[in-house]
Structure formats: C-alpha cells, structure tokens
Amino acid sequence: METQNIYLPYIMQIEKVSEDAPFVKTFRLKFINPEDAESFSFKTGQFGEYSVAGVGESTFCIASSPTRKGYIECTFRKAGRVTTALSDLEEGNTIGFRGPYGNVFPIDEWKGKNLLFIAGGIALPPMRSVIWNCLDLRENFKDITILYGAKSVADLVYKHELREWDERPDVKLVTTVDPGGETHDWTGEVGFVPTILDKMAPKAENTIAIVCGPPIMIKYTFPILEKCGFADEMVYTTLENRMKCGFGKCGRCNVGKTYVCKDGPVFSLKQLKQMPDEY
Amino acid sequence: MERKLLTKDSYRSLITKLIGQNYQVVAPVKKDTMIDFLKISSFDEITEDYIVTVSSAKTVAFPRNEKLFDYEKQNKKLTQQDYDFDSIPQSVLIGVRPCDAFGFHSLSSIFCWDSIDKIYTTRLERTTIIGLSCNKSDDYCFCTSTKGSPGSTAGSDILLTKMTDGNYIVEIVTEKGAKLVADFSDLFTADGGVDKESLLAKVAANFNVDDVLAKINSKFEDEAFWTEQAMRCIGCGACAYVCPTCACFDIQDESHGGKGHRVRCWESCGLSLFTLHTSGHNPRENQGQRWRQRLMHKFSYMPDRLNTIGCVGCGRCSRACPVDMNIAEHCMSIIEN
C-alpha cells in the first residue's frame, strides 16, 4: 500500500470466523493486497485499529503470534458500536486494519527463564499472541505455566487451544472459573484467579510473570506475586485505554505523561508503579 | 532580520494579486458579531478590528473536520480512495497574531511526533503565514507570561507591524516569506527605520510560565486542588475548540448508502465521554481529573515529551468560557498553592 496517509487502513478479508465464547468471536484476517502481506510485520504485544466502514474503528490487540505468518487474528467481545458491527460480519467480508502500533513483550530478554502467564476472561487474547510466540520458540524458555480463569466455563475463550495446551507435556495449564460458574463436568479449579494463584504458590526465581485481566483481577494478583517474591521488573502486563489514532496524537490514552499507544501497551509492574493511577 | 516597508495601498495590491493568482487567501473577516478566519475573495472583506479572532488560525492546517479518505462498500467488498494530497491549496494566511503563529509550533510537535501526519504537514507547508503584530490587547491576553510577545516573529513567515500612518513594517522571517516578498518585489519598498517596539501593545507579564512548569507536577496528586479548580467547569469543551494548540481529535465515519468517508474532527479532553471505555470504566471520571489533564498536557506533558509548551497566552479559552474560567488565573494559583 503506497500511501503517505497514516489513517488509511489496510483492507483485510475475513478468512475464518470462530465463536469462542458467548458474544466473543475471533477473526482470521488476510491482506487483500499481496504486497501488503509481504511487507507487513509485527511483534507480540502490539495492537491495531480494526474498522467497519460506515461504523468506525475499534482498538484491540493482535491475538495471533508473529511466528504464524500470512495472517493476523483478533478476538473481540460484542460490546460497543464497532464490535457489534464486526460481530455481524461473515467469512469473505472485508474490513479495515491499521497497525501494528505500540511496544512489544520483550521475549528476547526472557530467554532461559520460566514463564508464568496469568489471564482472566477476555484478556487471554492479548496474552495468546505471546503464549504462542513463546511456544513456537519453546527451546528458548524453561517451564511454561498458564493460569487462566473466567466467570464461567462458557466464558473461557479458545477452548480448543486450552485443550491443546493441556495436552502438551511442556506446558502446565491451570484453568479456573469463578465460584458458581462451574458445570457438573468441570474438572478445573473453582475460585478467583488470585486465589488459585496463591494456592499454586509459584516460584519467583528466574521467572517472568505476565498478567492480563480485568482491573479487579490485576489489583488482587500483583500482591500475591509480590508475596511469592516476584520483583516488579519481572512482572509484565498490558494496558488498554480508549484510543482513536494509535500513534500519540488524538490525546486520550495517556496515563500522566505516558502514552499507552506509544510507550505501551506493554508495561512492567515497575513502570506501572511509577505511573499515576489514571488508567 | 530583513525589513521592508509595505504601504497600505501596496498591501491591498498584494492581497488582490494573491487572490488573482488563485491562492486561497484566509483572513480575519467580520461575520455577524464575530470575527473569524475565512477564505476571502476581495481585500475589502478583511478586518483588522480584533484583538484575536474567535477561532484560532489552526483551522488552516487542522480543520474542524477533515476527510481522511473515502470508502465504498459493494457486495461485501470494501474499496478505499486515498486522501487527495493534490487537492490541498496553496494558501496565504493573513492577519495572524503572534500568539497564533507560535501555536503552529506546538501543533506541529504533536502531528510530527514519530508518525508524520502528512495531511497536517502538507497543509502547513502550502501555507504562507503573514503575521500581524498586536497594537492593542485586552485583559485576557497573557502572551508575555508564556514566552511570547505582541511583536514576536516566531511562527510567522512574514510579520507585519502597522505604523501610525497605516503603512506596515515588514519583517521577513523565513525562506517561504522571502519567496513571497520576492514574487511581489515591486510592492515592497525600503524600510524606513521606524521603531517597531513603540507600536506594540503593552501586555503585562503577570506570571512566568517556567514557574508553572516547575510546580505543576507536584500538584498532580492533590485531588482537592483540582476539584476546586474545576468546580465551575461544565465540561463543554469550548476552550479546546478555540485553542490554537489543542490537537485532540476523534475519528468518525460518515456514510450515505454504501459510500462515505472517515473523518477526523476536533474533540476535547474536557468532555466526559472522551476517555470512557466501552465497559463503563472511565480513567478520568470527574471534571477535576479532566481539567487536570488539560493543564498537565499543556504545562507538563508537552514540555516533557515534545519540548514545547501547549499554551501561547492568546486567552481565547478564557474569552470563550461560558462560566468565566480564566486560564491565566489558574496558572497563577498553581504557582501560589
């Protein structure tokens, strides 16, 4: 795409739609223009602006791993105007995509370390990109543990991938649902993510923790990690703030002087603690 | 800086010739009770009877609404028509007060922060700014508190200063300005050596913006301070719309049938929906936090990240405010508290 216009999206075709949970869908998107597919690259943690012409743009992460070439995936919950319009689309439809924007998970720095992924609800998608990225480079890391929880069994996204991770001998997966969210045949844990994490008592030594979830989960998860001995610079998360442009101009996403779109969305807990409580 | 002289008759000829040569000439025009920057088709439309115009000159490079591209949807397929950069006219912006001219510096720092917004930069590149020094001011003006002055050349390509006989001192500030003077060299005559300073308005410096910059970060956590500061604010956003440096925008789609365009339009950090998440969570949920954002952006974040101040002391926000909040007073209370 030859353009000087930073607002002009790529046109992408929806190759595959999967329904991952009630109101939650995943699109596999392919570039219409082969040159765009050739020149496009991204790194794990980055996000984009997805648009339905006539409705508008919406911000979310790229949920696929950069190791899986030729397409990108996004997962969204039908919540606002744009995600409702996206939700109505079918395979073969075309949408707009701008990106990639933002910084990345520093996975090169994590070589030789244990990884502990902690996710809640619809926050697994941003983490799925980095999980698959690390699994595709499995030899670079030591133990990989994934703790994932949702309100109910139905709300767990990527169920087939959870099964795949569960069956892998080189991944330890722990799934949990909030009390009352379990079904009669549920074999996972029952309890909030921080509670289960506390029970797991993960070893902090040589371990990076990556936490994505609703604010309330994050709030109660950090102290447990601290209790387990995780240093602030060993804990990472991604922030989501309302955005329009994605590149530091529209003026919405800043937390103090920190722009989530440019300086984030990935932050260490150390960085987060230096930021004002404005997110 | 090279100086010339432009008689009032030559000024009329210059503007008339520019219009004749198909420049888009934008000037302060009196419309009903307001004076604003509008495209003119004759010299007689121009007025000089203003302290500052209601809206700022930023509209030339950052219009209220800008179509970013067109799209068309047919049978599930989306096609896009890119922005037509050739459609941006060569413009001459006249009667720009020094505060406004300097405002472009702040705006450019945002629109060129890493990703270059070529729509903005092309508009600005194709605009020659003819500034006009202030020979009068009012109580809202505070440019001298924010590193400006009624005769500052910063931001203008050419700065005119009106003399008592109605003719103008011409200061040629940039190469773009020099080119325009060269293109119409027969209209400009030798400088008469009149003292410019004596012609300028006297704007008292009531505070020094450096003191605001030094103090404001320490006020961030002082919730009571911001609550009190914003007590009167009704969150209308008028301050941002008239501000020469406010760049916050929204992106919206406008459609008619299957055709339409994506539009960038002005928005304001003072509006309650500005940062509202779809989930209902709002990081800036009260007006105190939103007012804090407005002032911190101008006097902390922009200096810190972009090495510029987000306020030029034009006083427009204070004039436009329906509840009479005066930004200069707020700056002073940051220094004093």
Side-chain angles (χ1 to χ4, degrees):
Chain A
M1 183 172 58
E2 283 288 318
T3 181
Q4 299 184 304
N5 184 353
I6 53 177
Y7 302 95
L8 187 72
Y10 295 108
I11 299 179
M12 315 222 36
Q13 184 165 46
I14 303 171
E15 196 187 43
K16 199 174 115 192
V17 179
S18 50
E19 296 210 37
D20 287 301
F23 305 108
V24 177
K25 282 186 179 176
T26 297
F27 286 173
R28 176 170 292 189
L29 303 168
K30 282 204 160 181
F31 292 91
I32 290 283
N33 180 351
E35 288 155 25
D36 293 340
E38 194 61 39
S39 63
F40 180 85
S41 72
F42 75 100
K43 287 186 169 174
T44 187
Q46 292 191 292
F47 66 93
E49 295 289 337
Y50 303 77
S51 56
V52 180
V55 185
E57 296 186 310
S58 189
T59 316
F60 25 93
C61 68
I62 301 173
S64 53
S65 164
T67 49
R68 312 288 170 102
K69 309 274 185 208
Y71 64 86
I72 59 167
E73 287 177 330
C74 65
T75 299
F76 56 91
R77 189 204 300 270
K78 179 178 173 176
R81 227 157 24 99
V82 177
T83 49
T84 300
L86 280 171
S87 203
D88 291 339
L89 299 178
E90 300 163 350
E91 286 167 10
N93 283 173
T94 45
I95 67 165
F97 170 78
R98 290 194 287 122
Y101 301 129
N103 72 348
V104 305
F105 283 106
I107 57 168
D108 293 339
E109 295 168 21
W110 299 347
K111 275 184 188 165
K113 294 193 188 313
N114 305 310
L115 303 179
L116 170 62
F117 296 99
I118 305 163
I122 189 70
L124 186 58
M127 195 173 280
R128 174 192 184 234
S129 171
V130 62
I131 289 175
W132 277 120
N133 199 158
C134 294
L135 289 178
D136 287 346
L137 304 167
R138 186 65 188 85
E139 66 283 5
N140 287 350
F141 310 99
K142 293 179 125 173
D143 295 349
I144 292 186
T145 308
I146 303 167
L147 167 59
Y148 175 50
K151 272 184 193 157
S152 70
V153 176
D155 287 311
L156 292 163
V157 299
Y158 306 135
K159 288 184 186 66
H160 56 288
E161 288 175 41
L162 292 175
R163 256 194 308 280
E164 198 178 330
W165 294 338
D166 197 27
E167 284 162 8
R168 281 178 74 135
D170 58 353
V171 176
K172 185 186 172 197
L173 175 75
V174 178
T175 48
T176 183
V177 293
D178 292 355
E182 68 271 30
T183 50
H184 67 280
D185 57 350
W186 175 245
T187 55
E189 299 280 346
V190 176
F192 297 110
V193 167
T195 316
I196 305 301
L197 179 69
D198 198 15
K199 212 166 83 177
M200 286 163 69
K203 297 267 181 299
E205 200 196 336
N206 197 35
T207 304
I208 297 287
I210 304 100
V211 186
C212 290
I216 189 78
M217 184 203 100
I218 302 240
K219 189 183 162 188
Y220 287 101
T221 299
F222 285 157
I224 304 223
L225 287 172
E226 206 168 320
K227 195 173 96 178
C228 295
F230 282 83
D232 291 346
E233 59 269 27
M234 303 294 266
V235 179
Y236 287 85
T237 189
T238 72
L239 286 188
E240 289 193 355
N241 259 5
R242 191 160 184 84
M243 293 175 196
K244 290 288 177 170
C245 67
F247 35 64
K249 311 203 189 305
C250 76
R252 277 175 190 64
C253 71
N254 66 298
V255 179
K257 66 178 181 184
T258 303
Y259 281 72
V260 173
C261 66
K262 286 173 70 72
D263 306 314
V266 176
F267 294 97
S268 71
L269 180 55
K270 189 180 175 185
Q271 290 172 307
L272 214 57
K273 281 189 172 172
Q274 286 160 358
M275 285 155 61
D277 182 20
E278 204 189 18
Y279 50 90
Chain B
M1 194 172 297
E2 195 189 352
R3 277 178 45 150
K4 296 257 183 199
L5 190 135
L6 184 67
T7 66
K8 51 190 167 189
D9 291 337
S10 295
Y11 184 43
R12 172 184 282 270
S13 302
L14 174 68
I15 301 304
T16 308
K17 284 184 176 179
L18 286 168
I19 294 168
Q21 292 187 10
N22 288 325
Y23 280 93
Q24 171 177 271
V25 180
V26 177
V29 172
K30 188 163 201 285
K31 203 179 173 197
D32 301 325
T33 56
M34 300 202 290
I35 294 172
D36 238 331
F37 284 102
L38 292 171
K39 185 185 172 184
I40 59 165
S41 50
S42 113
F43 178 82
D44 293 323
E45 292 175 57
I46 304 172
T47 178
E48 287 187 357
D49 184 24
Y50 59 96
I51 307 285
V52 290
T53 51
V54 175
S55 303
S56 80
K58 76 178 173 189
T59 47
V60 169
F62 177 40
R64 207 164 298 197
N65 299 297
E66 176 90 82
K67 284 186 198 176
L68 301 169
F69 60 91
D70 294 297
Y71 55 73
E72 188 168 356
K73 275 198 291 190
Q74 245 178 352
N75 304 326
K76 295 183 174 184
K77 298 293 174 215
L78 170 69
T79 51
Q80 296 175 154
Q81 188 74 43
D82 200 356
Y83 187 92
D84 181 10
F85 286 85
D86 293 336
S87 71
I88 296 174
Q90 292 288 343
S91 296
V92 178
L93 182 55
I94 67 170
V96 180
R97 295 300 187 194
C99 50
D100 263 16
F102 190 67
F104 284 110
H105 178 71
S106 300
L107 272 189
S108 296
S109 70
I110 294 170
F111 284 115
C112 298
W113 192 17
D114 298 344
S115 334
I116 308 285
D117 188 320
K118 287 295 274 188
I119 299 175
Y120 168 86
T121 56
T122 308
R123 280 188 176 277
L124 192 58
E125 276 159 22
R126 292 190 194 162
T127 302
T128 304
I129 299 172
I130 303 184
L132 180 63
S133 296
C134 304
N135 52 17
K136 55 185 176 180
S137 64
D138 66 13
D139 290 346
Y140 289 109
C141 293
F142 64 103
C143 62
T144 48
S145 300
T146 55
K147 300 182 188 286
S149 82
S152 168
T153 56
S156 292
D157 294 306
I158 296 168
L159 182 70
L160 303 182
T161 303
K162 197 170 194 171
M163 296 185 288
T164 46
D165 60 4
N167 299 327
Y168 299 88
I169 299 169
V170 180
E171 287 172 279
I172 303 166
V173 188
T174 66
E175 279 180 29
K176 209 195 275 181
K179 186 179 178 304
L180 189 128
V181 171
D183 286 350
F184 300 92
S185 56
D186 54 323
L187 296 175
F188 295 87
T189 53
D191 174 34
V194 172
D195 175 36
K196 176 185 155 190
E197 285 301 314
S198 65
L199 300 165
L200 301 176
K202 303 284 174 281
V203 178
N206 292 326
F207 66 94
N208 182 345
V209 73
D210 285 335
D211 296 333
V212 181
L213 267 54
K215 187 77 185 290
I216 193 165
N217 284 334
S218 68
K219 300 301 291 177
F220 189 96
E221 303 284 350
D222 189 346
E223 205 181 315
F225 175 79
W226 295 108
T227 303
E228 197 199 322
Q229 289 275 303
M231 202 78 93
R232 269 191 289 175
C233 182
I234 55 171
C236 70
C239 46
Y241 282 49
V242 297
C243 176
T245 72
C246 274
C248 290
F249 58 80
D250 190 8
I251 297 175
Q252 291 285 343
D253 283 13
E254 278 185 355
S255 273
H256 308 283
K259 289 183 181 179
H261 34 259
R262 190 150 294 151
V263 185
R264 180 182 66 197
C265 38
W266 292 354
E267 219 189 340
S268 166
C269 60
L271 302 175
S272 59
L273 302 180
F274 190 63
T275 51
L276 181 68
H277 294 199
T278 310
S279 64
H281 171 64
N282 193 345
R284 297 181 207 135
E285 60 187 350
N286 63 57
Q287 205 58 31
Q289 291 167 333
R290 297 191 273 270
W291 178 250
R292 175 180 68 188
Q293 163 66 20
R294 180 169 176 73
L295 292 198
M296 295 291 295
H297 190 212
K298 293 184 175 304
F299 299 108
S300 170
Y301 311 152
M302 285 183 69
D304 193 54
R305 302 301 301 265
L306 303 170
N307 201 23
T308 185
I309 305 167
C311 177
V312 295
C314 68
R316 275 197 184 82
C317 52
S318 311
R319 290 185 193 90
C321 182
V323 292
D324 202 25
M325 285 169 74
N326 187 311
I327 194 167
E329 288 170 12
H330 287 266
C331 286
M332 286 186 270
S333 73
I334 288 167
I335 297 170
E336 286 156 16
N337 276 279

